[in-house]
Amino acid sequence: MAPSIKRLKEIESELGTLVHWEKRPWVKIGIQLNAAHDWQGWEQNERSFSAWLADIAEKLELNPSNLWRYYSAIRWYNETLENEHWDGTKLPPAISLSNTTSPENIELLAKLQRVLPDREFKELASKVVFGKVSRSAMREVWEIYRPALQGKTARGRSSSAPRIDVENPTQMDAKWRADFVALIQHEASWTGASDPSLYKVIPAVSFYAEEGPKIEFDAVVLLQRSPKTPLEFHGVKILPPSSRIPKRTAALLGQKCDFIWFVSSDPDMSQGPDSTSGILIVVEAKVQVAQQPQNSSTTPNHSAELARTILQQVF
């Protein structure tokens, strides 16, 4: 028996043992799958590694997509993160990863590498590797940044995933919007509430008004300053570089929320189109309030459509 085939049989036997552990050790399974890929003993009987993986998944009574996730997470980790030194900390080899470091989080981290700035990516990667970030938190970050890639993904298992194109104005504008939403995700001070009872950022909220055009917010912030105060709806509209706010846009959006905020990277934008709009300036990842908003509600039910849309989006 050829060494590669003998080794493949050993790997298949090891996989059969691992999948029956009470807590399935995805890291060890992923390492074995990568070993199988590299030894290539499957070439004797299968047309491709994908066909072999599908066959072994059937034998083990597992979903092939789970095995692909384990395989892909370990492969990417080995190629990208293993033994990196960041801020004096050496990332561990794949075999030392905790089983609590989920393959889903590593999969999302690989996608986020294509769009996150290097510093933010390294910070997030360290948290993922050492199990300090939840799956829901990772999904939240991905939902913020996914539009910046305009839905582009790698074509096929072996294709490299497309990175954000810094020469593409549309992608860079989407990234600027995502960067701001990520910046305020856990920072409420710009609202004037340092320790609110409730602070929740909902990205990309849009709906058709019962009467009028489509309403689009880049984010809506739900804010309750204390347990006894009413819930506030803060609408956020992020402006492309060097653009100004049409009065009609400000008036229309202001009718659908309690407070409307416009966000700019222009440090010279010191006031909005009217006295009710708030202005936020972002310089070097710092949020500055250039103009405080006033409550823009004109009717008791002004935010009913917005609240209904958020409930549908969240639940």
Side-chain angles (χ1 to χ4, degrees):
M1 182 182 294
S4 60
I5 298 177
K6 180 180 179 181
R7 177 66 181 121
L8 185 67
K9 294 298 182 184
E10 293 172 351
I11 290 170
E12 290 178 349
S13 176
E14 179 68 14
L15 287 171
T17 300
L18 291 172
V19 298
H20 289 102
W21 285 23
E22 184 177 353
K23 292 185 178 180
R24 187 182 300 162
W26 80 266
V27 171
K28 294 182 184 296
I29 293 173
I31 289 172
Q32 291 296 329
L33 291 172
N34 274 273
H37 177 275
D38 294 342
W39 274 90
Q40 297 186 331
W42 45 267
E43 289 184 333
Q44 300 296 319
N45 299 307
E46 301 285 0
R47 64 185 182 279
S48 66
F49 176 70
S50 298
W52 172 82
L53 188 141
D55 183 57
I56 197 68
E58 184 177 356
K59 290 177 181 177
L60 299 174
E61 298 181 342
L62 294 175
N63 189 325
S65 64
N66 287 337
L67 294 187
W68 267 116
R69 175 168 284 165
Y70 303 161
Y71 163 79
S72 300
I74 293 299
R75 191 133 198 114
W76 180 82
Y77 186 86
N78 285 339
E79 293 173 352
T80 308
L81 297 184
E82 189 173 45
N83 295 323
E84 284 282 355
H85 285 78
W86 292 337
D87 299 326
T89 302
K90 182 178 180 181
L91 300 185
I95 190 62
S96 299
L97 283 175
S98 167
N99 212 46
T100 59
T101 303
S102 77
E104 293 88 349
N105 278 5
I106 292 182
E107 184 178 55
L108 289 176
L109 189 62
K111 293 178 180 179
L112 286 163
Q113 185 189 24
R114 296 146 53 195
V115 67
L116 282 179
D118 188 60
R119 180 177 59 82
E120 283 85 347
F121 169 73
K122 288 180 177 180
E123 289 178 357
L124 186 60
S126 293
K127 291 179 181 178
V128 168
V129 169
F130 295 108
K132 296 180 179 179
V133 60
S134 67
R135 295 183 196 179
S136 60
M138 283 295 290
R139 285 194 291 266
E140 201 171 71
V141 176
W142 173 238
E143 287 302 317
I144 291 171
Y145 277 97
R146 181 168 58 177
L149 288 164
Q150 298 178 308
K152 294 180 180 178
T153 57
R155 297 180 181 274
R157 299 284 180 184
S158 61
S159 301
S160 59
R163 298 183 66 87
I164 192 167
D165 182 0
V166 296
E167 301 297 327
N168 184 320
T170 302
Q171 285 192 353
M172 291 308 292
D173 179 57
K175 183 181 181 302
W176 147 241
R177 295 168 191 271
D179 285 342
F180 176 77
V181 174
L183 186 62
I184 65 169
Q185 199 69 21
H186 304 289
E187 176 51 62
S189 60
W190 59 276
T191 66
S194 58
D195 188 24
S197 297
L198 172 67
Y199 179 79
K200 177 69 175 176
V201 180
I202 313 294
V205 177
S206 63
F207 59 93
Y208 283 95
E210 292 177 357
E211 295 181 5
K214 188 177 184 180
I215 305 297
E216 295 182 280
F217 294 102
D218 291 300
V220 172
V221 177
L222 307 184
L223 177 71
Q224 188 176 30
R225 297 177 186 271
S226 71
K228 295 183 179 180
T229 58
L231 183 66
E232 298 173 5
F233 291 83
H234 291 247
V236 177
K237 191 71 174 176
I238 302 171
L239 303 174
S242 303
S243 64
R244 288 295 183 263
I245 312 158
K247 287 187 176 181
R248 184 173 179 277
T249 299
L252 179 63
L253 295 177
Q255 292 171 7
K256 301 300 178 182
C257 57
D258 297 314
F259 298 92
I260 180 66
W261 296 85
F262 291 94
V263 183
S264 175
S265 58
D266 181 358
D268 295 327
M269 183 178 285
S270 58
Q271 65 182 88
D274 53 46
S275 60
T276 62
S277 299
I279 301 296
L280 295 175
I281 307 298
V282 181
V283 178
E284 296 182 353
K286 301 290 184 182
V287 180
Q288 305 168 6
V289 179
Q291 177 173 301
Q292 291 282 355
Q294 298 177 21
N295 196 312
S296 58
S297 62
T298 56
T299 64
N301 298 319
H302 65 284
S303 59
E305 293 170 286
L306 179 57
R308 191 161 53 242
T309 300
I310 290 173
L311 284 172
Q312 292 172 343
Q313 184 169 320
V314 173
F315 299 105

